[in-house]
Amino acid sequence: MTVNLVNLRSAKNAVIGNPSAKVQLARDPKFVANLVDCLNYPGERAEVRIEAAHVVASLSYGSDDALLALLRAHAHHALLYALANFAKNDLPPLRAAFARALRALAASVADAVGPSQWGLGPTSTVAEHHAQDALEFLFLPESLDTLLPLLSDTTAQVTTSIAQLLASSIRMRHHRFCVSEWLPQAERTKTKEKDVRPRRGWEKILVGPGLGGWTVRQLVELVGSKDLKLQEAALGALAALAKDTTNVASALARPSTDREPSPLTSILNLAKSRSPDVQIAACLCAAHVLRALPRHQQDESSTRIVMNTVNRMIASPLSPADDLGTPHAFTGATSSSTLGNLGQVTLSQRTRACFVLYHLVADDASLCQAAFDRGCLAQLVGLVTVLPLPPTPPSLIAEAESLAPGSGTGQGGGTAGAGATGRSRVYVPPPEDEAKSEEEEEWCEPEGRALLREAVLTTIAAISLFDNDVRRSLTEPTFHHPSYHSPYSITPSASIPNPNTLFSSSPSPVQPSTSTSSTPPLLPVLLAGLAHPSPGVRYAACQCVRAMSRAVAVLKTNIVDSGLGVGVWRRCVKNGGMGGKGRCAGAGEGTSGSADGKDAGEGDKRVLGAGLAVVCNLVNDFSPLRSVLLDDGLVERLVEILGYDEPGLRVSALWAIKNLLYRSSLELKRRVMREVGWGRILGFLEDADVGIREQALNVLRNVTESERDIELVYVEVAEDVLLDRVADALKSSNDDIVLQAAYLLANLANDTEAPHQARILAHPKILPALHDALIASTITASSPSSSSSSSAPTPHVPHAHTHMYTPRAQARSPLVSCVAQLAMTSAGAAQVRAAGFESALRHVCEWGGGGLGGGRGAAGGWDDDRRVVEKARGVLRPH
């Protein structure tokens, strides 16, 4: 196709909203190359260049093939070159078209590289190196020298597009640093001149660009614009820069002068804007600023403003434009006066409001509790139960029935305890062709509604992650917060399957029960969500089940009775993360997940990872589902996952094996370890991934719970090899690895067989490594400033010191127990003393209680500390 004005307009009209046309056009490499070259043809008419930019912008969205074709033709280089060389007399529409095209291309490239900004996001088939290289190119200093000055461009459309580019493409920490630290050339020269004179350290901090920089200051100015689109774009860019960046957050939270409010105050004022989009952008920006600040700088009133604003959006009445497909089920309407300046809230805005709330509270126990206290969880449950669901696939119902404890099938049929359903019918699998037709029944849910469902479930999971009372509230038949009225009906609508009939073998849609007094509204929503065609919905449903299954009572009852436990195992783990098959015929371009059919056939490993996290809870010793899953091929599937390339999946599989082995019978341990392979576990102890090494040690720790178990280990594993690995782990710089190695060695030392203890004492690396680890754990326990090297967030526990919960401090107890056990005999005591343990043990006694007992308490509290001191004192007594 020749590149001219007529053909470009025709191509633009053809590809807008038409992914197949984009693919067809992308398969013509000559046209794509000419299209990109046309952007910078010398003497080319402005109209032609504008149309070419429009075609590039349209090709950037919705088709991986088209995006890859543009990257191979170096469209990002051409657009940036054009923006850098525009003359002052170039038409504003021309510059605006090129800025929009680069924004579209940058956003698509960032989506391909990840992580997604809203939800799980689709997987991209764009070659990783192409997308990664293009994204890195945009954040090179030379590229920023062209892009960032455009934030002060006189054309609002150009400025808006560049701010939107920053908001959509900044996903990584080093990109935030590059943008926030950037300075114009003139300011760089001044900064260098100022730095010639030596200054004290604190003066350098005050004058340095790390307190926000030129870009942040320029964006703050744009936030004060009267242009709502520009306001929203600037807020989005500030949110992207402030996320997990303390320097930027501190600059935004600090007043510029004594008389002027801080930028954060101005941002929070925009939460009352007449535009819902600006409100959401302001709340997102404030949420990222607040979470990036140190806890002592976080303002409760600011958090409350964000929480109340998004909560009102979530609770706002649904409209016919929301396309729910069923009559709205409201117990009462929310008056317009309670919504302030909030206009009609669309599905997209409601979705983003849910994600803003998620970003505000995620992984913070106190904020999750505050969200629950303010009724956010009740609003979310009310919203998700109003959204209609396709009928639960009959195969999922039958699977849950066949595997439910008490169904009379397999070893799991005789499982006793809370949660047994008492059903006695045995599931007979349908013929293969019938099962296939059931599985391939099309589910059709608009993309926007599926994303809203994902957002609501993701936020519910985050809020309910920490507290048992919050988790149990989700299983109440008429869940509501006593002090906050939900505008949604919590009664299941006709489109939501009733768990009382979930075990019916009929393939017809499940009808609601006439009595809903015993039906928790969220559980059937989650069960159907596990078979949803969107991987984001399945992932979010797994996260909800994971959070709920952390409550023992909920795991023993609701998770079993509703079929959620079996559903997660079958749909998201055993079958590789696959959900319902089929495709929404009306899905538009950019539909995530299985809209293109690929996920339905291959499964999604992100969903598999979320399902594995649930299985880790389902196989605990108190779970009625442990034996059920064992009979259904659990061990074989976990062994298969251990062979995957993804370290995260292997860590989760090892975690599930660890929980499965805890307090299990010797026969089960022998069976599991035979399937996993003793050599493979020993190999994991030397893996490059820290998490894999930690969980492998934890597996061996749970294998060696008794003397008979220890004898099994010594039969299967060469003792010297095992002790070599343990000694190396005790020397690790990672606190979590040291903790698990300490517990494993303490278990091995508990073996009363003299030959085994003698080999431990005689091993050349064990006693030195044990001594050094004990010294380090005692110093760490006595230092309030010490912290764990683990990446896991420290739980917020009132009236507790952070250092009490560090793994290194916790290792002190098993290490002292190990020394005490090795010193039980006179020969062992002599070797322990000869290795120099006396000073380390005296330090334990002195710190723990001044040599008189008691103590300040370490990770295990006062009682554990006293026991540790007594053990240390016992070793020090003369034999």
Side-chain angles (χ1 to χ4, degrees):
M1 180 189 297
T2 305
V3 176
N4 54 47
L5 186 60
V6 175
N7 288 340
L8 286 175
R9 286 177 176 171
S10 175
K12 179 184 70 174
N13 294 331
V15 300
I16 291 177
N18 191 341
S20 60
K22 294 181 182 183
V23 173
Q24 184 176 359
L25 204 59
R27 289 175 179 170
D28 185 351
K30 184 176 180 180
F31 171 79
V32 175
N34 290 336
L35 173 69
V36 173
D37 290 341
C38 178
L39 296 172
N40 288 291
Y41 274 155
E44 185 64 78
R45 288 187 301 164
E47 294 86 347
V48 175
R49 297 178 71 188
I50 290 174
E51 290 299 331
H54 289 333
V55 174
V56 169
S58 183
L59 289 176
S60 301
Y61 284 119
S63 169
D64 285 348
D65 292 334
L67 177 61
L68 184 57
L70 289 176
L71 295 181
R72 286 173 173 166
H74 303 290
H76 48 298
H77 289 265
L79 290 169
L80 196 65
Y81 177 82
L83 288 171
N85 290 277
F86 277 133
K88 290 184 178 180
N89 58 351
D90 281 320
L91 297 175
L94 178 62
R95 303 197 334 264
F98 275 65
R100 283 195 299 269
L102 186 58
R103 176 209 65 196
L105 188 61
S108 296
V109 168
D111 284 336
V113 175
S116 173
Q117 285 186 311
W118 306 105
L120 190 64
T123 55
S124 175
T125 59
V126 177
E128 183 178 348
H129 64 280
H130 282 288
Q132 186 68 52
D133 290 347
L135 191 61
E136 293 299 329
F137 167 77
L138 293 176
F139 290 97
L140 290 174
E142 297 79 7
S143 301
L144 295 180
D145 287 342
T146 298
L147 289 175
L148 295 183
L150 295 176
L151 289 174
S152 57
D153 194 89
T154 56
T155 304
Q157 293 90 337
V158 174
T159 305
T160 301
S161 293
I162 299 304
Q164 290 172 338
L165 183 152
L166 297 177
S168 59
S169 61
I170 296 178
R171 312 284 177 93
M172 302 177 187
R173 185 181 297 272
H174 66 282
H175 292 162
R176 296 186 184 100
F177 178 81
C178 292
V179 174
S180 62
E181 296 294 310
W182 182 88
L183 288 174
Q185 187 63 45
E187 292 193 24
R188 287 180 222 168
T189 304
K190 293 179 182 178
T191 303
K192 289 180 180 179
E193 292 175 354
K194 290 181 180 180
D195 287 341
V196 171
R197 180 174 59 86
R199 289 186 174 90
R200 292 183 292 271
W202 63 272
E203 290 180 311
K204 290 182 180 180
I205 293 176
L206 290 177
V207 301
L211 297 178
W214 183 90
T215 308
V216 173
R217 295 194 300 270
Q218 189 65 30
L219 289 170
V220 169
E221 290 182 14
L222 296 177
V223 166
S225 168
K226 300 299 182 183
D227 186 332
L228 294 179
K229 282 290 184 184
L230 183 54
Q231 268 189 340
E232 180 189 354
L235 288 168
L238 284 174
L241 288 173
K243 184 178 181 181
D244 301 325
T245 309
T246 303
N247 282 345
V248 174
S250 298
L252 294 174
R254 183 172 49 254
S256 55
T257 65
D258 293 337
R259 296 184 179 181
E260 293 184 10
S262 66
L264 178 59
T265 302
S266 303
I267 291 169
L268 288 170
N269 288 335
L270 290 176
K272 304 174 185 177
S273 170
R274 67 180 184 273
S275 166
D277 288 323
V278 173
Q279 290 186 42
I280 294 170
C283 288
L284 178 64
C285 183
H288 284 322
V289 169
L290 292 169
R291 289 304 304 271
L293 290 172
R295 182 175 290 276
H296 68 276
Q297 295 183 18
Q298 294 178 9
D299 181 26
E300 184 179 348
S301 62
S302 300
T303 302
R304 187 165 56 249
I305 290 173
V306 176
M307 206 171 286
N308 289 345
T309 302
V310 296
N311 206 17
R312 286 198 300 268
M313 286 191 172
I314 295 169
S316 63
L318 300 171
S319 71
D322 288 329
D323 187 29
L324 293 183
T326 58
H328 300 153
F330 291 119
T331 56
T334 303
S335 65
S336 59
S337 61
T338 64
L339 298 176
N341 294 331
L342 188 62
Q344 185 62 55
V345 180
T346 65
L347 276 182
S348 173
Q349 292 163 347
R350 207 181 303 265
T351 299
R352 284 178 284 148
C354 292
F355 280 125
V356 170
L357 182 58
Y358 166 78
H359 286 302
L360 178 65
V361 305
D363 299 324
D364 189 296
S366 60
L367 289 176
C368 288
Q369 186 62 47
F372 176 72
D373 292 339
R374 301 198 70 79
C376 296
L377 191 62
Q379 305 289 13
L380 292 164
V381 172
L383 175 57
V384 78
T385 53
V386 169
L387 299 178
L389 285 174
T392 305
S395 58
L396 181 59
I397 299 172
E399 287 169 3
E401 178 187 28
S402 66
L403 294 180
S407 63
T409 62
Q411 182 182 348
T415 302
T421 61
R423 300 180 181 89
S424 59
R425 289 180 292 129
V426 179
Y427 166 60
V428 179
E432 184 175 352
D433 56 345
E434 182 181 344
K436 182 177 180 181
S437 64
E438 290 176 358
E439 287 297 316
E440 293 182 353
E441 177 185 358
E442 284 196 2
W443 285 26
C444 188
E445 181 168 51
E447 179 190 0
R449 200 168 72 200
L451 187 58
L452 175 59
R453 190 186 307 280
E454 176 188 352
V456 174
L457 293 180
T458 299
T459 312
I460 289 174
I463 295 175
S464 57
L465 185 63
F466 293 98
D467 188 82
N468 269 340
D469 292 336
V470 176
R471 288 190 281 264
R472 283 195 292 267
S473 69
L474 295 176
T475 63
E476 295 175 2
T478 55
F479 169 59
H480 68 282
H481 192 272
S483 63
Y484 206 97
H485 175 69
S486 173
Y488 303 113
S489 169
I490 309 299
T491 302
S493 65
S495 61
I496 298 179
N498 187 336
N500 292 331
T501 58
L502 278 178
F503 293 93
S504 168
S505 58
S506 171
S508 61
V510 179
Q511 299 298 321
S513 171
T514 57
S515 173
T516 60
S517 60
S518 61
T519 303
L522 185 62
L523 301 189
V525 174
L526 295 178
L527 185 61
L530 295 175
H532 198 281
S534 166
V537 175
R538 300 200 303 276
Y539 182 91
C542 285
Q543 294 291 0
C544 284
V545 179
R546 174 202 172 205
M548 294 169 63
S549 63
R550 297 181 71 179
V552 177
V554 175
L555 173 58
K556 287 184 174 182
T557 55
N558 301 95
I559 299 295
V560 174
D561 292 343
S562 64
L564 282 174
V566 172
V568 170
W569 157 245
R570 275 289 180 93
R571 285 287 168 153
C572 302
V573 179
K574 187 176 183 180
N575 293 335
M578 292 187 291
K581 296 186 180 182
R583 171 177 175 167
C584 291
E589 61 176 299
T591 303
S592 63
S594 61
D596 57 6
K598 287 178 284 191
D599 176 75
E602 300 173 3
D604 192 300
K605 289 187 177 178
R606 299 170 297 178
V607 178
L608 172 59
L612 280 171
V614 179
V615 169
C616 289
N617 293 341
L618 299 182
V619 298
N620 277 311
D621 61 302
F622 50 78
S623 171
L625 292 175
R626 174 188 269 193
S627 59
V628 174
L629 301 189
L630 277 171
D631 289 345
D632 198 42
L634 171 67
V635 178
E636 293 79 3
R637 177 59 176 149
L638 293 177
V639 170
E640 181 182 356
I641 295 172
L642 288 177
Y644 285 5
D645 293 332
E646 294 80 1
L649 293 179
R650 291 192 289 160
V651 168
S652 296
L654 284 171
W655 201 307
I657 292 170
K658 169 195 74 177
N659 288 357
L660 181 62
L661 294 173
Y662 181 64
R663 293 185 178 178
S664 62
S665 66
L666 177 62
E667 192 55 41
L668 178 58
K669 290 177 179 177
R670 181 180 287 111
R671 170 195 164 188
V672 171
M673 294 305 297
R674 183 173 59 247
E675 293 284 345
V676 174
W678 292 95
R680 171 179 273 183
I681 291 294
L682 289 177
F684 285 151
L685 295 180
E686 297 181 306
D687 197 274
D689 187 87
V690 171
I692 291 177
R693 296 206 305 274
E694 178 197 350
Q695 292 308 316
L697 287 165
N698 220 326
V699 167
L700 291 174
R701 170 190 170 186
N702 286 354
V703 171
T704 56
E705 291 176 314
S706 69
E707 292 188 15
R708 293 180 62 200
D709 299 336
I710 295 171
E711 198 61 39
L712 170 65
V713 173
Y714 284 140
V715 168
E716 300 289 346
V717 177
E719 194 168 350
D720 288 343
V721 174
L722 177 60
L723 294 178
D724 272 338
R725 301 288 192 276
V726 173
D728 292 340
L730 287 173
K731 297 176 183 177
S732 173
S733 60
N734 183 275
D735 291 356
D736 297 296
I737 289 179
V738 172
L739 175 63
Q740 298 308 324
Y743 275 116
L744 173 57
L745 186 59
N747 284 357
L748 295 174
N750 278 333
D751 188 2
T752 57
E753 293 291 331
H756 296 317
Q757 285 202 353
R759 292 192 187 101
I760 293 176
L761 289 166
H763 194 280
K765 297 167 61 175
I766 285 292
L767 288 183
L770 183 59
H771 177 271
D772 293 345
L774 180 58
I775 291 291
S777 68
T778 305
I779 293 174
T780 302
S782 60
S783 172
S785 62
S786 62
S787 61
S788 169
S789 61
S790 172
S791 60
T794 302
H796 174 65
V797 181
H799 313 298
H801 298 290
T802 302
H803 71 275
M804 294 181 182
Y805 294 88
T806 61
R808 181 76 69 168
Q810 294 178 46
R812 194 170 61 108
S813 177
L815 289 171
V816 172
S817 297
C818 181
V819 174
Q821 194 65 34
L822 293 175
M824 290 289 289
T825 64
S826 57
Q831 287 183 264
V832 166
R833 290 175 185 274
F837 278 87
E838 281 195 56
S839 61
L841 294 171
R842 290 188 188 280
H843 195 167
V844 170
C845 295
E846 290 167 1
W847 181 85
L852 298 174
R856 293 185 296 174
W862 286 81
D863 292 338
D864 281 353
D865 185 64
R866 280 195 290 266
R867 284 193 290 269
V868 170
V869 171
E870 287 301 322
K871 288 181 180 179
R873 189 180 293 118
V875 179
L876 292 172
R877 292 192 188 102
H879 284 68

